[in-house]
mmCIF file of all heavy atoms in Angstrom:
data_model
loop_
_atom_site.group_PDB
_atom_site.id
_atom_site.type_symbol
_atom_site.label_atom_id
_atom_site.label_comp_id
_atom_site.label_asym_id
_atom_site.label_seq_id
_atom_site.Cartn_x
_atom_site.Cartn_y
_atom_site.Cartn_z
ATOM 1 N N GLU W 40 -11.468 7.086 8.716
ATOM 2 C CA GLU W 40 -10.933 7.957 9.626
ATOM 3 C C GLU W 40 -9.418 7.578 9.589
ATOM 4 O O GLU W 40 -8.889 6.529 9.890
ATOM 5 C CB GLU W 40 -11.396 7.620 11.060
ATOM 6 C CG GLU W 40 -10.832 8.404 12.107
ATOM 7 C CD GLU W 40 -11.184 7.983 13.556
ATOM 8 O OE1 GLU W 40 -12.141 7.162 13.622
ATOM 9 O OE2 GLU W 40 -10.580 8.410 14.561
ATOM 10 N N PRO W 52 10.794 1.901 -9.681
ATOM 11 C CA PRO W 52 9.690 1.033 -10.187
ATOM 12 C C PRO W 52 9.899 -0.385 -9.915
ATOM 13 O O PRO W 52 11.024 -0.858 -9.767
ATOM 14 C CB PRO W 52 9.728 1.452 -11.741
ATOM 15 C CG PRO W 52 10.651 2.520 -11.978
ATOM 16 C CD PRO W 52 11.477 2.635 -10.837
ATOM 17 N N ALA W 65 2.101 5.269 3.061
ATOM 18 C CA ALA W 65 1.188 4.318 3.746
ATOM 19 C C ALA W 65 0.365 5.082 4.670
ATOM 20 O O ALA W 65 0.822 5.993 5.250
ATOM 21 C CB ALA W 65 1.891 3.210 4.422
ATOM 22 N N LEU W 78 -12.239 -2.652 -0.361
ATOM 23 C CA LEU W 78 -11.570 -2.769 -1.687
ATOM 24 C C LEU W 78 -12.292 -2.086 -2.774
ATOM 25 O O LEU W 78 -11.687 -1.367 -3.669
ATOM 26 C CB LEU W 78 -11.428 -4.201 -2.030
ATOM 27 C CG LEU W 78 -10.813 -4.550 -3.412
ATOM 28 C CD1 LEU W 78 -9.312 -4.118 -3.407
ATOM 29 C CD2 LEU W 78 -10.864 -6.023 -3.743
ATOM 30 N N ARG W 90 -7.324 6.687 -12.913
ATOM 31 C CA ARG W 90 -6.200 5.645 -13.168
ATOM 32 C C ARG W 90 -6.686 4.847 -14.341
ATOM 33 O O ARG W 90 -7.776 4.383 -14.550
ATOM 34 C CB ARG W 90 -6.250 4.771 -11.978
ATOM 35 C CG ARG W 90 -5.351 3.578 -12.313
ATOM 36 C CD ARG W 90 -4.767 2.902 -11.138
ATOM 37 N NE ARG W 90 -3.918 1.729 -11.589
ATOM 38 C CZ ARG W 90 -3.394 0.874 -10.740
ATOM 39 N NH1 ARG W 90 -3.670 0.821 -9.459
ATOM 40 N NH2 ARG W 90 -2.562 -0.106 -11.233
ATOM 41 N N GLU W 98 2.823 2.254 -15.250
ATOM 42 C CA GLU W 98 2.658 3.642 -14.695
ATOM 43 C C GLU W 98 1.190 3.707 -14.160
ATOM 44 O O GLU W 98 0.366 3.143 -14.767
ATOM 45 C CB GLU W 98 2.909 4.639 -15.889
ATOM 46 C CG GLU W 98 4.238 4.499 -16.571
ATOM 47 C CD GLU W 98 4.385 3.393 -17.544
ATOM 48 O OE1 GLU W 98 3.354 2.663 -17.887
ATOM 49 O OE2 GLU W 98 5.433 3.391 -18.290
ATOM 50 N N ARG W 99 1.181 4.681 -13.212
ATOM 51 C CA ARG W 99 -0.159 4.982 -12.767
ATOM 52 C C ARG W 99 -0.125 6.300 -12.042
ATOM 53 O O ARG W 99 0.859 6.580 -11.310
ATOM 54 C CB ARG W 99 -0.664 3.878 -11.918
ATOM 55 C CG ARG W 99 -0.232 3.637 -10.464
ATOM 56 C CD ARG W 99 0.935 2.735 -10.232
ATOM 57 N NE ARG W 99 1.143 1.594 -11.045
ATOM 58 C CZ ARG W 99 1.022 0.313 -10.636
ATOM 59 N NH1 ARG W 99 0.555 0.170 -9.286
ATOM 60 N NH2 ARG W 99 1.228 -0.644 -11.282
ATOM 61 N N ASP W 102 -2.237 4.499 -7.042
ATOM 62 C CA ASP W 102 -2.431 3.075 -6.797
ATOM 63 C C ASP W 102 -2.755 2.951 -5.331
ATOM 64 O O ASP W 102 -2.035 3.569 -4.511
ATOM 65 C CB ASP W 102 -1.140 2.310 -7.134
ATOM 66 C CG ASP W 102 -1.288 0.942 -6.889
ATOM 67 O OD1 ASP W 102 -2.401 0.299 -7.164
ATOM 68 O OD2 ASP W 102 -0.393 0.147 -6.513
ATOM 69 N N LEU W 103 -3.801 2.418 -4.905
ATOM 70 C CA LEU W 103 -4.229 2.129 -3.392
ATOM 71 C C LEU W 103 -4.352 0.600 -3.203
ATOM 72 O O LEU W 103 -5.203 0.029 -3.837
ATOM 73 C CB LEU W 103 -5.574 2.815 -3.264
ATOM 74 C CG LEU W 103 -5.597 4.371 -3.527
ATOM 75 C CD1 LEU W 103 -7.056 4.855 -3.354
ATOM 76 C CD2 LEU W 103 -4.767 5.072 -2.583
ATOM 77 N N PRO W 123 -0.443 -10.242 -0.478
ATOM 78 C CA PRO W 123 0.463 -11.340 -0.574
ATOM 79 C C PRO W 123 1.943 -11.139 -0.823
ATOM 80 O O PRO W 123 2.658 -11.986 -0.572
ATOM 81 C CB PRO W 123 -0.119 -12.079 -1.793
ATOM 82 C CG PRO W 123 -0.859 -11.072 -2.505
ATOM 83 C CD PRO W 123 -1.415 -10.103 -1.602
ATOM 84 N N HIS W 144 2.217 -9.247 11.480
ATOM 85 C CA HIS W 144 1.637 -9.823 10.254
ATOM 86 C C HIS W 144 0.941 -11.137 10.745
ATOM 87 O O HIS W 144 1.603 -12.055 11.329
ATOM 88 C CB HIS W 144 2.898 -10.177 9.305
ATOM 89 C CG HIS W 144 2.558 -10.604 7.963
ATOM 90 N ND1 HIS W 144 1.732 -11.709 7.703
ATOM 91 C CD2 HIS W 144 2.608 -9.874 6.674
ATOM 92 C CE1 HIS W 144 1.504 -11.841 6.314
ATOM 93 N NE2 HIS W 144 2.105 -10.697 5.770
ATOM 94 N N GLU W 153 10.451 -6.536 12.163
ATOM 95 C CA GLU W 153 11.201 -7.745 11.904
ATOM 96 C C GLU W 153 11.150 -8.158 10.450
ATOM 97 O O GLU W 153 12.267 -8.617 9.940
ATOM 98 C CB GLU W 153 10.498 -8.910 12.853
ATOM 99 C CG GLU W 153 10.695 -8.789 14.207
ATOM 100 C CD GLU W 153 9.945 -9.765 15.103
ATOM 101 O OE1 GLU W 153 8.673 -10.053 14.642
ATOM 102 O OE2 GLU W 153 10.291 -10.195 16.075
#
Side-chain angles (χ1 to χ4, degrees):
E40 181 186 347
L78 176 64
R90 172 154 181 196
E98 303 83 355
R99 72 273 324 251
D102 186 31
L103 301 172
H144 192 296
E153 290 170 328

